[in-house]
Amino acid sequence: MSGSSKKVVLLFALIALIGVGAVLYHKHHESVQASASAATRAAPAARPAARMARTKEQAIDALMALPELKAWSAHIAKVSGGSAHGAVLDDDGATKLVHGKSYWSLSFVENSQEAAHRWETFLVATQGDEILVDDMNDDRQLTLAQWRADMRPMDRIANKAASAPAEAAPAP
Protein backbone atom coordinates (compact mmCIF):
# COMPACT_ATOMS: atom_id res chain seq x y z
CA MET A 1 0.00 0.00 0.00
CA SER A 2 1.39 3.34 -1.04
CA GLY A 3 1.61 6.39 1.20
CA SER A 4 -1.29 8.16 -0.50
CA SER A 5 -3.59 5.11 -0.24
CA LYS A 6 -2.76 4.82 3.46
CA LYS A 7 -3.76 8.44 3.89
CA VAL A 8 -7.06 7.78 2.12
CA VAL A 9 -7.79 4.74 4.34
CA LEU A 10 -6.92 6.73 7.47
CA LEU A 11 -9.08 9.59 6.26
CA PHE A 12 -12.07 7.22 5.74
CA ALA A 13 -11.45 5.63 9.16
CA LEU A 14 -11.34 9.06 10.76
CA ILE A 15 -14.55 10.09 8.98
CA ALA A 16 -16.19 6.84 10.10
CA LEU A 17 -15.13 7.43 13.74
CA ILE A 18 -16.42 10.99 13.66
CA GLY A 19 -19.70 9.74 12.16
CA VAL A 20 -20.12 7.05 14.83
CA GLY A 21 -19.31 9.60 17.54
CA ALA A 22 -21.87 12.02 16.11
CA VAL A 23 -24.56 9.31 16.02
CA LEU A 24 -23.81 8.26 19.60
CA TYR A 25 -23.83 11.88 20.79
CA HIS A 26 -27.12 12.54 18.99
CA LYS A 27 -28.78 9.47 20.55
CA HIS A 28 -27.51 10.41 24.01
CA HIS A 29 -28.66 14.00 23.57
CA GLU A 30 -32.15 12.85 22.46
CA SER A 31 -32.53 10.54 25.47
CA VAL A 32 -31.45 13.30 27.88
CA GLN A 33 -33.90 15.73 26.29
CA ALA A 34 -36.69 13.14 26.38
CA SER A 35 -36.06 12.56 30.09
CA ALA A 36 -35.98 16.27 30.79
CA SER A 37 -39.19 16.98 28.89
CA ALA A 38 -40.93 14.05 30.64
CA ALA A 39 -39.85 15.47 33.99
CA THR A 40 -41.04 18.93 32.95
CA ARG A 41 -44.44 17.55 31.93
CA ALA A 42 -44.79 15.71 35.25
CA ALA A 43 -43.42 18.54 37.38
CA PRO A 44 -45.87 21.44 36.95
CA ALA A 45 -48.31 20.02 39.47
CA ALA A 46 -45.53 18.90 41.80
CA ARG A 47 -43.24 21.89 41.42
CA PRO A 48 -45.28 24.44 43.46
CA ALA A 49 -45.79 21.88 46.24
CA ALA A 50 -42.10 21.04 46.34
CA ARG A 51 -41.19 24.72 46.38
CA MET A 52 -43.55 25.39 49.26
CA ALA A 53 -42.71 22.30 51.32
CA ARG A 54 -41.89 23.27 54.88
CA THR A 55 -39.41 21.27 56.93
CA LYS A 56 -39.91 20.73 60.63
CA GLU A 57 -37.14 23.25 61.35
CA GLN A 58 -38.88 25.84 59.17
CA ALA A 59 -42.14 25.10 60.98
CA ILE A 60 -40.45 25.70 64.34
CA ASP A 61 -38.98 28.97 63.03
CA ALA A 62 -42.43 30.05 61.79
CA LEU A 63 -43.91 29.38 65.23
CA MET A 64 -41.16 31.20 67.09
CA ALA A 65 -41.75 34.19 64.79
CA LEU A 66 -45.33 34.56 66.06
CA PRO A 67 -45.64 37.67 68.25
CA GLU A 68 -47.40 35.67 70.96
CA LEU A 69 -44.59 33.13 71.23
CA LYS A 70 -41.96 35.86 71.21
CA ALA A 71 -43.79 37.63 74.05
CA TRP A 72 -44.35 34.38 75.96
CA SER A 73 -40.65 33.49 75.65
CA ALA A 74 -39.55 36.90 76.88
CA HIS A 75 -42.04 36.74 79.75
CA ILE A 76 -40.89 33.25 80.84
CA ALA A 77 -37.23 34.29 80.81
CA LYS A 78 -37.96 37.52 82.71
CA VAL A 79 -40.18 35.99 85.40
CA SER A 80 -37.82 33.05 85.96
CA GLY A 81 -34.73 35.21 86.06
CA GLY A 82 -33.39 33.28 83.08
CA SER A 83 -33.72 29.84 84.66
CA ALA A 84 -36.56 28.89 82.30
CA HIS A 85 -37.21 29.71 78.68
CA GLY A 86 -39.81 29.19 75.97
CA ALA A 87 -39.17 26.44 73.47
CA VAL A 88 -40.93 24.56 70.69
CA LEU A 89 -40.93 20.79 70.96
CA ASP A 90 -41.84 18.25 68.33
CA ASP A 91 -44.79 16.26 69.66
CA ASP A 92 -44.22 12.97 67.91
CA GLY A 93 -41.92 13.39 64.93
CA ALA A 94 -44.59 12.39 62.42
CA THR A 95 -47.00 14.62 60.59
CA LYS A 96 -50.69 14.77 61.47
CA LEU A 97 -53.44 14.69 58.85
CA VAL A 98 -56.26 17.23 59.38
CA HIS A 99 -59.00 17.53 56.75
CA GLY A 100 -56.71 15.90 54.18
CA LYS A 101 -53.82 18.28 54.83
CA SER A 102 -50.51 17.36 56.47
CA TYR A 103 -49.26 19.30 59.53
CA TRP A 104 -46.33 19.22 61.92
CA SER A 105 -47.63 18.93 65.49
CA LEU A 106 -45.49 21.18 67.69
CA SER A 107 -45.93 22.41 71.26
CA PHE A 108 -44.75 25.62 72.85
CA VAL A 109 -43.45 24.82 76.31
CA GLU A 110 -42.02 26.57 79.32
CA ASN A 111 -38.75 24.70 79.68
CA SER A 112 -36.94 24.64 83.03
CA GLN A 113 -34.49 22.27 84.68
CA GLU A 114 -37.33 20.58 86.55
CA ALA A 115 -39.85 20.10 83.74
CA ALA A 116 -41.32 21.30 80.49
CA HIS A 117 -44.85 22.70 80.87
CA ARG A 118 -46.95 22.81 77.71
CA TRP A 119 -48.57 26.15 77.02
CA GLU A 120 -50.10 25.42 73.61
CA THR A 121 -50.02 22.92 70.75
CA PHE A 122 -49.84 24.13 67.16
CA LEU A 123 -50.31 22.44 63.81
CA VAL A 124 -48.02 23.91 61.15
CA ALA A 125 -48.83 23.00 57.55
CA THR A 126 -46.12 21.09 55.71
CA GLN A 127 -47.29 22.81 52.48
CA GLY A 128 -48.02 26.52 52.54
CA ASP A 129 -48.00 28.87 55.50
CA GLU A 130 -51.08 27.84 57.49
CA ILE A 131 -50.78 27.51 61.27
CA LEU A 132 -53.58 26.10 63.40
CA VAL A 133 -53.93 25.91 67.16
CA ASP A 134 -54.90 22.48 68.44
CA ASP A 135 -57.64 23.08 71.03
CA MET A 136 -57.32 19.87 73.00
CA ASN A 137 -60.21 20.79 75.33
CA ASP A 138 -62.77 20.75 72.53
CA ASP A 139 -60.86 18.46 70.13
CA ARG A 140 -60.90 21.08 67.36
CA GLN A 141 -58.42 23.19 65.47
CA LEU A 142 -58.55 26.98 65.44
CA THR A 143 -57.04 29.33 62.92
CA LEU A 144 -54.60 31.87 64.38
CA ALA A 145 -57.27 34.57 63.99
CA GLN A 146 -59.86 32.48 65.87
CA TRP A 147 -57.35 31.61 68.57
CA ARG A 148 -56.38 35.24 69.04
CA ALA A 149 -60.01 36.35 69.23
CA ASP A 150 -61.34 33.47 71.36
CA MET A 151 -58.42 32.61 73.63
CA ARG A 152 -56.71 36.01 73.87
CA PRO A 153 -53.21 34.51 74.27
CA MET A 154 -51.54 37.80 75.18
CA ASP A 155 -53.78 38.08 78.26
CA ARG A 156 -52.07 34.98 79.57
CA ILE A 157 -48.85 36.86 80.24
CA ALA A 158 -50.53 40.18 81.03
CA ASN A 159 -52.34 38.54 83.95
CA LYS A 160 -49.17 36.75 85.10
CA ALA A 161 -47.05 39.88 84.70
CA ALA A 162 -49.39 41.86 86.92
CA SER A 163 -48.96 39.34 89.72
CA ALA A 164 -45.29 38.50 89.07
CA PRO A 165 -43.61 41.25 91.15
CA ALA A 166 -45.41 40.17 94.33
CA GLU A 167 -44.53 36.52 93.66
CA ALA A 168 -40.92 37.34 92.79
CA ALA A 169 -40.35 39.54 95.83
CA PRO A 170 -37.84 38.03 98.25
CA ALA A 171 -39.07 36.78 101.59
CA PRO A 172 -38.40 39.18 104.52
Side-chain angles (χ1 to χ4, degrees), residues 71-142:
W72 288 358
S73 292
H75 172 77
I76 290 167
K78 180 180 176 185
V79 169
S80 71
S83 65
H85 63 277
V88 174
L89 298 179
D90 182 9
D91 287 341
D92 60 14
T95 57
K96 182 176 181 179
L97 201 60
V98 177
H99 305 296
K101 193 169 182 179
S102 185
Y103 294 86
W104 296 110
S105 180
L106 304 165
S107 290
F108 178 83
V109 298
E110 180 177 340
N111 196 18
S112 68
Q113 288 182 347
E114 296 81 35
H117 300 283
R118 187 184 68 80
W119 280 43
E120 202 68 73
T121 298
F122 297 88
L123 300 172
V124 183
T126 59
Q127 303 288 327
D129 59 358
E130 185 177 23
I131 298 175
L132 302 175
V133 181
D134 201 2
D135 185 354
M136 294 181 174
N137 295 330
D138 295 334
D139 197 28
R140 65 185 176 132
Q141 291 76 38
L142 305 171

